[in-house]
Amino acid sequence: MSVSRFSRNHGARPGYALHDAIDLPGWDDRSIWGWDDGTGSFYAQLWRNGSTSDAPGIWLSGASRPYPWPGSVALDIVQHTGAAPLAVVQALGIADPAPRLRDAAEITQQIAQLKSLDDNGGYIGGQLHALAWTQGLETLPPSTGVREDHSRPAPDRVEAEHHLITGRVYLGGGEHTQDFYSGADEALWWTLGH
């Protein structure tokens, strides 16, 4: 079985010997990413197509901010370029080759069970937000908070969101608390059948 270019780095983890191209439209001529043993971090260097500069337009370096997980790099690339999360995850080659979602009825039942719990928007709130987003009931994905349409996202988009929310857990920051992001991370992991 051959691995698609979108999944060639799916198994990338900290310490993984990696130096690869970033196939992001508009940034794909010279952009690279990988693992840097010296900083113990992932990194990315992106040049907009047509740039003649020696220095990348976007430089995500573990020397200035640690990127301990592939999703951390993906999240910052989304935020710096405005590219769609799925496009970035595919450009890095970290997409799951065959993502699947749990049945909508099972996810809806999980939402109902979680609604009986109250944690003031923390961990359970993160789970509820992520699960509602997977059903098209919430327009703001938990990792970026950038409005999307109300349709139910496809499995590959949910899997891309899981990469970004895991990256958010590792990087911290953002609009919500770490408890919220951790809850969203767990809910998306569960939704993807893991």
Side-chain angles (χ1 to χ4, degrees), residues 139-147 175:
T139 62
L140 301 176
S143 69
T144 63
V146 175
R147 187 166 307 282
E175 176 183 339

Side-chain angles (χ1 to χ4, degrees), residues 122-123 126 142-144 165-166 168-169 172-186:
Y123 193 79
S143 69
T144 63
I165 199 67
T166 301
R168 174 69 72 198
V169 168
E175 176 183 339
H176 300 287
T177 66
Q178 278 303 105
D179 286 345
F180 178 92
Y181 295 126
S182 295
D185 184 51
E186 180 183 319

Side-chain angles (χ1 to χ4, degrees), residues 10-24:
H10 181 65
R13 299 293 182 264
Y16 188 84
L18 175 67
H19 180 81
D20 195 17
I22 300 174
D23 298 326
L24 185 63

Side-chain angles (χ1 to χ4, degrees), residues 5-6 29 45 56 67 74 97 104 117 142 144 151 153 168 178 189-190:
R5 68 183 179 95
F6 296 140
D29 285 349
Q45 297 176 344
Y67 292 94
L117 307 172
T144 63
S151 62
R168 174 69 72 198
Q178 278 303 105
W189 180 255
W190 175 84

